[in-house]
Amino acid sequence: MTTSTHDGNPEAINVRVLRQDGPGQASYWQRHRIAYEHDMNVISVLQKIATQSRDADGQPVAPVAWDCNCLEEVCGACTMVVNGKTQQACTALVDRLLAENPAEIELRPMSKFPVLRDLMVDRARMFQALKRVKAWIPVDGYSDMGPGPRQSQSRQQLAYPLSECMTCGCCVEACPQYTKIELTRRNGETDEQFATREEEAYNRGFVGAAAISQAMLFNENPTGQMNADERVDALTAEGGIQVCGNAQNCVVVCPKEIPLTKSIARAGRAATVRSIKRWLDT
Amino acid sequence: MPAAGSILYYTLGVAGKTHPTHFEVLSFWKVARVNNPQTSFLVRHEFLLRRLHSLSGLIPVGAYMVIHLMVNASVLESAGVFQDKVYLIHSLGKLLPVVEWTFIFIPILFHGLFGLVIIKGGLPNTSQYPYQANLRYSLQRASGVVAFFFIMWHVFHMHGWIHASWWIDGVAAAWGGAQFKPYNAASTAGMALQSGLVIVGYSIGVLACVFHLANGIWTMGITWGVWTSAAAQQRASRVCTVFGVALAVVGLSAIYGMWQVGHGEGLEKARQVEDAMYASKRASGVLEDQPHKRSHPPASHTENKH
Amino acid sequence: MANERVLVVGGGLAGLAAAMRLAELGIQVDLMSLTPVKRSHSVCAQGGINSVNDQTRPLGDSEWLHFDDTVYGGDFLQHQPPVKEMAYWAPRIIDLMDRLGVTFNRTPEGFRDQRRFGGTLYKRTAFAGATTGQQLLYALDEQVRRWEVEGRVKKYEFWDFLGPVLDDNGVCRGAVGQDLVSMEIRSFQADAVVVATGGAGLIYGRSTMSMVCTGSAASRCFQAGVRYGNGEFMQVHPTAIPGADKLRLMSESARGEGGRVWVPRKPQDPRDPRDIPEGERYYFLEERYPTYGNLVPRDIATREIFNVCVYEGLSVDADRQCVYLDLTHIPADELDRKLGGILSIYEKFQGVNPRTVPMKIFPAIHYSMGGLWADYERTADGGLVAGSPRNQQTNVPGLYAIGECDYQYHGANRLGANSLLSCIFSGLIVAPGIETWIKSLPRSAADQPASLFDTERTRQQQRHDELLNRSGGGENPYLIHQQLGQTMTNAATVVRHNKDLEAAYGTIADLEARAQTCSLSDTGNWTNQNVVFTKALLDMFPLAKTILQGALARDECRGAHFKPDFVLGGIEAEDPAEQRREAEAWCDRFEAKNTKWLKSTVATLKSDGEPELTYEEVDTSLIPPRPRLYGLVGAEMIEEVWQQRVAQKEQSPGNGQPDSTVAAS
C-alpha cells in the first residue's frame, strides 16, 4: 500500500481518524490519504485533510474538527490520542510516527472527556478542578502594594516546573483512575441547569494530577501558603487525592515533564499532616 | 460475581484487549450517589476510608502476614519449634478469637472488600501505556483480588471459617475445610498441603499476597507522603523489592516445610513430637483437654502408653 | 446603575488584566474568547517583561530612560504620553505580577532576577524561565477564575466575536458572538466592549502567531467603522524556527543570555558548524554593531539576517534561508535554568539539541505594532489622566481596544519584552476609564431597545446561513489563505518595494473576489470550523489591504517598515569637511522625512471595502525625535551635527521642550 520515493520516504501517508459528528453520537473510523512532506507534524496532517476535504476513497467529507492554537506546545489545546498515546498533536512529528508504524497514523479524541466533535473534546472539568483546589493567590487587591515576597532560588526552581502546566489533559487521559464523566441533557433542562448539574458532577469526580499539582504550587508560594489548609481540605474531599492509584502514567505522558508524582506525594504528606493536626488540634 | 469479573477484567487489561474508549465505567461512587443523592457515608468519608484501607494493609494485615509466614517457615527448623509457637499463640485462650477477629479477620475483610470497591473505580490501561508503574498498578489490583480469594479459601481450608462444631463437622470437613488442628499443628497443616493443586494454589496465593504487600508499602509511602521525589520513590522501590523477594522466600519455604512434614517419615516424626508436647503440657496442667484442637483420630496410642 | 456589564473580547494578557480589574471595581464582566483563555496566544511570549528595577537604577536607569528606549526603538511613531505612563507603571506592574504568584527567576538573595533584551543597555527584563508570557497569563487566568467563582466574571469560551452593536448615535452597546460548538449566534448587551484580540499574523499565512491570531475581530471592528492605525508596521522577529505549519519563535532571550548569530564565511560551508573555527565564522551582528552586538533592535537584526542570506548569499543551507544562533559556548545547566523552555521547543520540533549544536533560525512575522486606533487623555506633564474614559477608547464611543490589537505603544517597532508590559498595562488602565464611562451613560445597554440587538444578530445569522447554503464547487478557503499568506510574505515582510506592493495589492484584490465565492466542505451546523475559518479569511482582506496600502504610501524607512529605495544612507566621504557636509545634508533629509512622515497612518474602511488613509500628527512633545543611528556608517558625525542642531533649537525662544536624553550609541 505504501509506496516509497527514491529517498526512502513515502509518497503519501495513510491517516485513520476516529470521527464523531456530535455528543452522544456513534463514532466511526475514516481513512485519509495525504501527500508526504518533510518536517510534518499531526497539525499539518490535519491542515492538509481540511484542505483536501476528501477521504482516502476520494469521497467529499467535512474537514475533521480539532482543537489547536499555539503549535509550540505551550497552550495545551491540541491534545489527542495519536497512535494510541495521548500527546500534543503539534509535537507529534510525522517522521517519528511513521517510524513506529509506517502503515498509518491513527488519531482518536481523548477518551476521558465528552467529545464535542471528531477530535475536539470538552475539558471544562479540568478547569473546574482548578476552581475546586482554589488554584490562585488570594491577593487583597490589584493596587500598588509593593513587590511580592522574596523567594529563594531553590523555591523558584521547585515552583517553576509546576507553573508550566498548560491543562492539556494528558495526565488525566492516561490515568486509570480518572474516568469519563459525560452527562446528557434532560428534557426541558435550561443551559444554566445543565451547566450546574455538570459542574456538580465534575466536582465529585477525581480532580486529577494537574489540579493536585497546581494546589501544591500555590501551597508552596509564600502568600498562597496562607490558604494551604483550604487547598488540602479540597484535596481530601470527594474525588480528591485519595482516588489516586499510583499508576504514575501522568508523569510519563506529561509533555512538560512536570514532576506530577512528586506533587501527588507532597499533597499526600500535606493531607497526612493536616488530618492528624485536625484530629489533635481541633 | 465481582471476583470472576474483576479477574477476567484485569487479565484482559494486562493482555491488551480492553479499549477504554469504547465503554465507560461507572465508578462505585456514582452508583452510590444514584442510590442516595444525599451523598452516602462512603462518599462523605472517602478520604478517611481510603487512608484506613491503606493503613490496614500494613497494620495489622501486612504485619500479621509477615509474622504468619515467618512462624510457618519455622517448621523448616522442626515441627516442635513450629508447635511451640502455635502453643504460644493459643496461650491467649478465650481471648484468641477476639484478637483474631479484631486484628486479623475484620481488617482483612475490610481491606479486601473495600479493595474491590476501589478496583471498580478504575480503568486499567496497561495495553495503551505499558509503563512499569502502570503494570504494577494493574498487578496490585489483580494480586489483591487473588490474595483476597486465596485468603478466604485458606481460612476455610485450614480453619473452616467458624468454630461451631455443627459447621466444622457437618459442613466444612465435608468440603475439605478445617483441616488444621492447632495441637497437631505441623502434621495437620502438612497433610493439608499434599495435593499438587493445593500446593500450586498456595504458592500463587502467597506470592500474590507478598507482591501486594511489598508493592502496597511502596504506594503507601507515596500516598502518605513518606517518599516524595522521583529519586526517593526509586530508592524506596528498591527497598520494597528486596523486602518482597525475601518475604516470598520465607512464604515459599513455609509451604515447602509444611509439605515436607505432611507425608511419610516426616509426618510420623511430627506427630510424635506434637503428641509428646501435648502430653507434657497436659501433665504439667497448663493445658485443658481440647480434643477439637487435635487431629482426628488423636494419636491415641501415644497417650495410652502413659 | 445596578446591572452594568462590560464585554471583554479576548482572554490574553490584556483581556484578562481588564477583566480582573473591572471585576475588582465591581463591574460585571462577560469574557468572550475563541479558545479557553488559558490557551491564548500570550502563552507564546517567552523572554520577559521590561521595567526599570533596583538592579538598573543604581546604574543610572530610570522610568524616563525606559520610556526613551521605547520611543527611540519605535522610531518615534507612537504618541508619547501613553508610553511614558506605561514606563512609569512598569515597576508597579511587575510588583503586582510578582504578588500574583508569577514564578520569576530569582537572584541568590531572593530578589527578582533580570536579563538584558534588545534595544537597551540595561538589564531591565524580569523573566520566568523562558515562558514568561505563559506565567504572566496564568497568573491573570487564575485571578479571573477566582472572580468567576465569585460570580463577577462569566466566561464565553469557544465563542467568536462577530461584530459590535452600535446604536443610532454610533455608540457601542454590545456585540454579537457565535458559539463555536453549537454555532448559536446571539447578541450581548454591554455598556462597553473591550476588544483585546491580539495581532493579525495569520494574514501572512505562517508566522510566529497562534492559530487564533487571524485579526478577524479587529477587522470586524474596522468594518464597523473603527479606525485602524499604522497597519503597515508588522514586526518581523529575527529569530524563528522555520516549520511547515508555523514559524516557531526562538526568543530574543536566547541572545539576551549570550547567544551569538553567525554564518560561515564560506557560503554554504558543508562542515558541521562545530568544526568551523572561530576565524571562519562571520559574527555579522557583532562586527557591524559593536555596541549592541547581537542585541540590536529587532528590525535591524531581522534586516541583517535577511541581507546576509538573501543579498550576500551566506545562508547556512542552500535550499532554505537560515543562519546560526549559537548557544553552545554557554554551560548546559545554565541554559536549562534560564532558557529550558525554548530550548526544549527547538529540540522537540527539530530533533536537534541546541545546547550542543547551533540552532538554525530565520526571521518571521511576529507582532502587529499597528491596530485599532485608540485615544488617550493627556495630563499637562505628559502622562495619562487616570480614569479618563478616553483612555484606550476607539473612535466608536464605548468600544475600547487594548493589547496587541491597539496601535498605541510600539510605534514603528516594538522593543523585546515591552509587549507583555503594554498588554497588562492597557488592560489595567482601561478598567477605571470604563467605570467613568459607564457612570456617564444616561442609559445602560440593558435599557436599549431589543430591536437594536436583533438587527445585528439577524445580519450575522444571514451571513452565516448564506455561507452554509452556498452550492459546492467554489473556491477552497484554505488554498486562498495559503495564497494570501504567500503574497503578503513576499511583498510586505522585511524588505518592501513599491512595485511589489502594487502587484500584491492587485493579487489580493483578485483573491478577495475569489474568496467571495468560497464554498464550504462542511455545511453542517455543529462545531463547523470550516465556516468559522472562511469568515475569518474573508475578514483578513480589509486588514491585508490596509497593510499593503499603508506600506505603499509610506515612502520612507521607519522601524519595521523598510524600503531600500528610501534609505537615508550613511556617510561615504573620508575627508572630515566633506563628512561634515554630508552629515548636514543627512540631517536635512532626516528632518524633511520627519516633517513628511512622522505621522500615524490612520485607515478607515470605505463602503466599497477599500481602506482610505489619513495621517495623524504624533505627540512627540516629551522626547523630540532624533535619528536612529544603530550601526550606521558615519554615525558619530551625524550625531555631532544633530546635537548641535538640538542645542540651537533649545536656545531659540518659544521652544520649551523638556530635555531629551540621548541614548548611548
Side-chain angles (χ1 to χ4, degrees):
Chain A
M1 188 68 200
T2 317
T3 48
S4 296
T5 56
H6 60 278
D7 62 353
N9 287 313
E11 281 172 354
I13 313 165
N14 297 310
V15 187
R16 201 157 62 102
V17 186
L18 186 65
R19 302 197 61 170
Q20 184 176 331
D21 294 341
Q25 302 199 35
S27 56
Y28 57 95
W29 287 103
Q30 190 173 74
R31 288 175 185 282
H32 293 268
R33 200 169 159 75
I34 56 159
Y36 173 88
E37 275 173 32
H38 286 283
D39 297 333
M40 283 174 91
N41 56 6
V42 167
I43 296 288
S44 45
V45 166
L46 286 163
Q47 285 173 340
K48 278 179 179 290
I49 287 177
T51 306
Q52 67 187 28
S53 299
R54 284 181 189 276
D55 68 6
D57 303 325
Q59 295 302 311
V61 290
V64 175
W66 88 98
D67 197 3
C68 72
N69 194 26
C70 76
L71 314 192
E72 291 182 8
E73 208 190 58
V74 281
C75 80
C78 66
T79 317
M80 55 186 74
V81 180
V82 182
N83 281 2
K85 301 246 178 332
T86 179
Q87 54 189 298
Q88 305 305 117
C90 61
T91 36
L93 304 183
V94 163
D95 288 337
R96 213 174 293 159
L97 296 171
L98 290 179
E100 279 170 26
N101 179 11
E104 67 173 11
I105 294 171
E106 184 203 87
L107 306 178
R108 279 187 277 156
M110 297 171 89
S111 64
K112 302 296 175 71
F113 299 99
V115 172
L116 296 172
R117 184 176 179 184
D118 298 338
L119 302 174
M120 201 169 157
V121 296
D122 178 9
R123 279 169 281 183
R125 179 177 165 192
M126 292 201 74
F127 294 109
Q128 185 60 33
L130 295 178
K131 293 181 190 165
R132 281 167 75 179
V133 302
K134 299 180 168 53
W136 52 72
I137 305 288
V139 292
D140 292 345
Y142 309 125
S143 48
D144 183 20
M145 296 161 95
R150 265 164 64 190
Q151 291 183 52
S152 68
Q153 284 185 334
S154 61
R155 194 169 209 169
Q156 191 271 346
Q157 281 159 21
L158 198 70
Y160 179 71
L162 307 191
S163 70
E164 281 190 291
C165 172
M166 51 192 186
T167 324
C168 69
C170 282
C171 56
V172 294
E173 171 65 18
C175 173
Q177 292 293 99
Y178 196 90
T179 49
K180 183 176 185 173
I181 296 177
E182 180 168 17
L183 304 186
T184 42
R185 195 180 284 245
R186 292 174 182 151
N187 274 341
E189 200 172 35
T190 64
D191 285 359
E192 276 72 28
Q193 285 167 334
F194 181 65
T196 310
R197 201 158 60 85
E198 203 170 48
E199 204 167 285
E200 279 169 9
Y202 288 162
N203 281 344
R204 287 171 168 162
F206 181 30
V207 284
I212 295 171
S213 187
Q214 287 301 295
M216 288 303 101
L217 167 66
F218 291 100
N219 279 10
E220 190 56 40
N221 179 283
T223 312
Q225 223 163 39
M226 298 175 191
N227 300 64
D229 285 349
E230 284 177 41
R231 290 190 200 93
V232 176
D233 288 349
L235 283 182
T236 55
E238 183 187 358
I241 187 173
Q242 65 274 9
V243 182
C244 172
N246 296 306
Q248 302 204 332
N249 290 345
C250 52
V251 77
V252 186
V253 298
C254 175
K256 304 321 279 185
E257 294 169 29
I258 298 168
L260 292 166
T261 47
K262 185 179 178 187
S263 290
I264 289 170
R266 288 164 52 85
R269 180 183 286 177
T272 306
V273 173
R274 170 91 178 128
S275 311
I276 293 170
K277 270 194 180 164
R278 195 158 45 177
W279 202 48
L280 297 177
D281 294 353
T282 58
Chain B
M1 266 304 279
S6 295
I7 293 172
L8 179 69
Y9 181 60
Y10 276 89
T11 319
L12 286 176
V14 175
K17 295 220 177 80
T18 46
H19 275 290
T21 329
H22 303 309
F23 56 87
E24 180 187 340
V25 167
L26 274 180
S27 79
F28 178 87
W29 308 119
K30 272 176 263 166
V31 177
R33 257 195 321 277
V34 172
N35 294 340
N36 179 7
Q38 293 298 305
T39 62
S40 71
F41 175 85
L42 284 174
V43 168
R44 272 184 286 124
H45 300 286
E46 192 184 39
F47 176 76
L48 180 69
L49 287 167
R50 293 286 273 250
R51 282 293 172 96
L52 277 178
H53 176 257
S54 170
L55 183 66
S56 66
L58 182 69
I59 299 165
V61 177
Y64 166 73
M65 187 178 97
V66 173
I67 293 166
H68 184 53
L69 291 179
M70 280 164 59
V71 165
N72 289 6
S74 72
V75 76
L76 279 174
E77 213 164 313
S78 78
V81 169
F82 177 58
Q83 184 65 59
D84 239 1
K85 296 194 155 69
V86 176
Y87 274 124
L88 185 69
I89 292 164
H90 280 257
S91 65
L92 284 168
K94 286 195 167 30
L95 268 179
L96 184 60
V98 178
V99 171
E100 280 179 336
W101 277 96
T102 314
F103 295 104
I104 306 172
F105 299 145
I106 291 178
I108 286 180
L109 281 172
F110 166 73
H111 190 82
L113 292 174
F114 195 76
L116 292 178
V117 169
I118 291 174
I119 287 173
K120 285 205 72 175
L123 190 62
N125 54 13
T126 30
S127 58
Q128 237 179 317
Y129 303 104
Y131 313 134
Q132 214 205 35
N134 196 28
L135 291 169
R136 288 208 302 266
Y137 164 90
S138 290
L139 277 176
Q140 182 71 357
R141 277 145 185 79
S143 65
V145 173
V146 169
F148 183 66
F149 289 97
F150 165 68
I151 290 167
M152 297 295 281
W153 171 57
H154 164 60
V155 174
F156 175 78
H157 180 225
M158 289 297 178
H159 300 276
W161 286 346
I162 47 174
H163 288 298
S165 56
W166 65 267
W167 166 262
I168 298 286
D169 300 332
V171 185
W175 288 85
Q179 298 196 21
F180 176 73
K181 303 296 168 195
Y183 295 165
N184 292 92
S187 60
T188 53
M191 280 191 297
L193 282 172
Q194 292 304 306
S195 122
L197 219 63
V198 172
I199 292 172
V200 169
Y202 266 66
S203 301
I204 291 174
V206 166
L207 288 178
C209 289
V210 168
F211 171 82
H212 194 79
L213 175 63
N215 188 53
I217 291 173
W218 180 73
T219 59
M220 190 179 171
I222 302 170
T223 302
W224 292 73
V226 180
W227 31 82
T228 60
S229 71
Q233 290 179 16
Q234 194 68 44
R235 286 193 291 272
S237 161
R238 267 181 242 128
V239 172
C240 290
T241 306
V242 170
F243 166 76
V245 168
L247 193 60
V249 169
V250 170
L252 293 176
S253 306
I255 294 172
Y256 170 75
M258 291 299 175
W259 171 78
Q260 219 179 19
V261 299
H263 67 279
E265 219 176 293
L267 179 65
E268 274 307 307
K269 258 178 73 185
R271 276 191 171 155
Q272 283 169 18
V273 170
E274 287 158 6
D275 289 348
M277 286 173 78
Y278 181 74
S280 107
K281 284 203 185 275
R282 283 288 289 136
S284 62
V286 293
L287 207 64
E288 285 170 41
D289 187 22
Q290 290 170 299
H292 64 277
K293 289 191 177 179
R294 308 192 63 202
S295 36
H296 292 280
S300 51
H301 60 277
T302 358
E303 205 168 39
N304 288 346
K305 281 183 185 168
H306 295 277
Chain C
M1 255 178 294
N3 44 2
E4 49 200 26
R5 287 191 95 81
V6 171
L7 174 68
V8 177
V9 185
L13 275 177
L16 291 179
M20 165 184 106
R21 191 76 179 95
L22 285 164
E24 191 191 28
L25 293 172
I27 296 168
Q28 204 65 32
V29 178
D30 289 322
L31 179 56
M32 182 190 284
S33 169
L34 282 169
T35 180
V37 294
K38 196 175 177 178
R39 314 203 189 288
S40 300
H41 177 60
S42 303
V43 293
C44 290
Q46 297 170 346
I49 177 166
N50 283 338
S51 83
V52 56
N53 55 69
D54 293 339
Q55 282 184 41
T56 62
R57 250 184 243 285
L59 303 173
D61 194 18
S62 64
E63 281 86 351
W64 185 271
L65 279 184
H66 180 193
F67 165 42
D68 184 276
D69 277 340
T70 304
V71 292
Y72 181 63
D75 233 345
F76 296 90
L77 198 63
Q78 60 272 69
H79 296 300
Q80 292 180 355
V83 182
K84 181 190 164 198
E85 190 77 19
M86 174 175 83
Y88 278 78
W89 267 61
R92 286 176 274 160
I93 284 175
I94 294 171
D95 279 353
L96 172 63
M97 298 314 293
D98 188 10
R99 280 175 53 227
L100 297 185
V102 174
T103 54
F104 286 116
N105 280 46
R106 300 282 159 175
T107 66
E109 201 181 331
F111 294 109
R112 290 189 301 260
D113 202 358
Q114 319 281 336
R115 61 162 63 121
R116 207 186 122 204
F117 246 61
T120 179
L121 297 171
Y122 295 105
K123 278 192 168 184
R124 212 179 262 152
T125 307
F127 61 103
T131 59
T132 313
Q134 186 190 38
Q135 301 310 314
L136 294 172
L137 183 83
Y138 288 1
L140 297 181
D141 172 63
E142 287 143 18
Q143 293 301 316
V144 169
R145 187 166 292 109
R146 195 178 155 207
W147 288 112
E148 203 186 355
V149 171
E150 298 277 317
R152 200 69 64 76
V153 172
K154 185 164 168 49
K155 282 184 188 157
Y156 293 85
E157 292 172 329
F158 293 118
W159 277 75
D160 193 10
F161 168 82
L162 298 182
V165 174
L166 310 188
D167 69 12
D168 295 341
N169 301 320
V171 176
C172 181
R173 296 297 190 172
V176 174
Q178 180 168 31
D179 184 333
L180 296 180
V181 176
S182 72
M183 308 314 283
E184 175 203 356
I185 295 177
R186 61 157 279 200
S187 58
F188 291 78
Q189 295 175 339
D191 298 299
V193 174
V194 185
V195 182
T197 52
L202 256 70
I203 291 176
Y204 283 77
R206 291 178 305 156
S207 70
T208 67
M209 287 196 216
S210 296
M211 302 314 279
V212 293
C213 301
T214 59
S216 62
S219 173
R220 288 161 194 169
C221 292
F222 185 41
Q223 293 172 59
V226 179
R227 295 185 199 132
Y228 199 85
N230 289 340
E232 66 269 32
F233 291 95
M234 295 292 295
Q235 180 164 73
V236 181
H237 196 285
T239 58
I241 314 163
D245 51 338
K246 168 172 197 190
L247 311 172
R248 295 181 177 84
L249 179 65
M250 177 46 58
S251 167
E252 190 162 313
S253 57
R255 285 174 292 135
E257 295 298 345
R260 304 177 75 188
V261 176
W262 62 278
V263 287
R265 289 196 187 272
K266 185 179 147 206
Q268 288 86 53
D269 194 324
R271 283 176 292 179
D272 185 299
R274 289 167 290 189
D275 298 336
I276 300 177
E278 279 292 313
E280 294 175 44
R281 298 176 176 194
Y282 182 20
Y283 293 98
F284 52 96
L285 290 177
E286 294 172 30
E287 285 189 23
R288 294 179 194 177
Y289 305 93
T291 311
Y292 285 83
N294 293 291
L295 282 173
V296 287
R298 289 183 174 175
D299 57 329
I300 292 173
T302 294
R303 225 143 42 225
E304 291 296 347
I305 295 170
F306 190 85
N307 275 338
V308 152
C309 293
V310 177
Y311 297 122
E312 297 169 33
L314 290 172
S315 170
V316 169
D317 288 342
D319 55 346
R320 62 168 181 179
Q321 312 284 13
C322 56
V323 301
Y324 287 126
L325 172 55
D326 197 341
L327 290 165
T328 58
H329 54 286
I330 303 169
D333 61 329
E334 189 184 333
L335 290 176
D336 281 333
R337 198 155 34 84
K338 292 183 170 168
L339 300 170
I342 53 170
L343 297 187
S344 75
I345 287 177
Y346 187 86
E347 204 167 5
K348 274 186 179 169
F349 286 97
Q350 301 302 109
V352 175
N353 182 359
R355 296 164 195 85
T356 54
V357 181
M359 296 181 278
K360 290 179 184 176
I361 53 95
F362 196 69
I365 284 285
H366 180 54
Y367 190 91
S368 310
M369 267 81 67
L372 297 174
W373 182 89
D375 199 4
Y376 62 91
E377 188 174 350
R378 194 198 139 119
T379 58
D381 66 348
L384 295 189
V385 175
S388 165
R390 282 174 55 199
N391 293 340
Q392 305 293 142
Q393 187 166 240
T394 66
N395 55 306
V396 171
L399 184 58
Y400 290 78
I402 55 174
E404 187 176 347
C405 83
D406 80 40
Y407 89 126
Q408 254 183 334
Y409 294 94
H410 307 295
N413 173 53
R414 176 176 68 80
L415 289 193
N418 259 356
S419 60
L420 297 178
L421 178 62
S422 66
C423 286
I424 300 175
F425 170 70
S426 58
L428 291 177
I429 61 149
V430 79
I434 287 175
E435 191 187 30
T436 316
W437 163 255
I438 293 175
K439 282 189 184 133
S440 75
L441 283 176
R443 293 199 307 167
S444 85
D447 304 327
Q448 298 294 318
S451 61
L452 178 68
F453 298 95
D454 279 348
T455 311
E456 182 59 19
R457 199 203 70 81
T458 309
R459 198 176 70 80
Q460 294 293 350
Q461 187 72 52
Q462 280 165 351
R463 182 191 191 207
H464 179 74
D465 294 343
E466 190 273 317
L467 276 169
L468 289 186
N469 294 332
R470 276 187 194 170
S471 53
E475 294 282 349
N476 182 331
Y478 302 102
L479 293 177
I480 300 243
H481 179 236
Q482 283 173 19
Q483 291 168 33
L484 169 67
Q486 268 158 21
T487 310
M488 292 298 291
T489 305
N490 291 343
T493 308
V494 182
V495 176
R496 297 164 174 188
H497 294 280
N498 282 347
K499 67 172 180 6
D500 297 344
L501 293 165
E502 269 167 30
Y505 201 89
T507 311
I508 278 176
D510 290 348
L511 281 175
E512 187 179 19
R514 284 170 55 199
Q516 300 300 331
T517 66
C518 273
S519 57
L520 303 183
S521 46
D522 185 354
T523 54
N525 220 356
W526 182 264
T527 322
N528 186 336
Q529 298 178 332
N530 193 223
V531 68
V532 173
F533 178 81
T534 305
K535 278 194 254 188
L537 170 69
L538 290 169
D539 291 325
M540 287 180 194
F541 288 101
L543 293 188
K545 288 196 285 192
T546 304
I547 293 169
L548 290 178
Q549 224 184 72
L552 182 59
R554 188 175 282 277
D555 280 338
E556 66 155 351
C557 295
R558 188 174 297 276
H561 174 69
F562 181 73
K563 279 187 174 173
D565 298 342
F566 299 91
V567 173
L568 287 187
I571 289 176
E572 282 157 12
E574 300 282 320
D575 169 56
E578 184 58 27
Q579 272 190 353
R580 171 112 203 149
R581 208 162 25 252
E582 282 190 27
E584 289 284 357
W586 194 98
C587 288
D588 290 343
R589 289 202 302 278
F590 176 74
E591 287 189 281
K593 172 180 108 100
N594 277 350
T595 311
K596 187 165 183 205
W597 285 116
L598 186 50
K599 294 185 174 77
S600 306
T601 311
V602 178
T604 45
L605 200 65
K606 293 186 289 182
S607 54
D608 62 356
E610 293 298 305
E612 185 176 47
L613 305 183
T614 53
Y615 291 89
E616 173 192 68
E617 286 299 328
V618 179
D619 181 345
T620 56
S621 58
L622 303 172
I623 301 176
R626 61 180 188 274
R628 236 168 141 239
L629 298 169
Y630 301 101
L632 196 70
V633 182
E636 299 77 17
M637 180 58 80
I638 296 174
E639 182 72 34
E640 195 185 312
V641 170
W642 184 259
Q643 288 306 331
Q644 286 167 3
R645 290 190 182 194
V646 170
Q648 270 169 17
K649 274 182 199 158
E650 277 169 6
Q651 281 162 15
S652 63
N655 206 334
Q657 282 172 344
D659 266 342
S660 74
T661 315
V662 179
S665 54

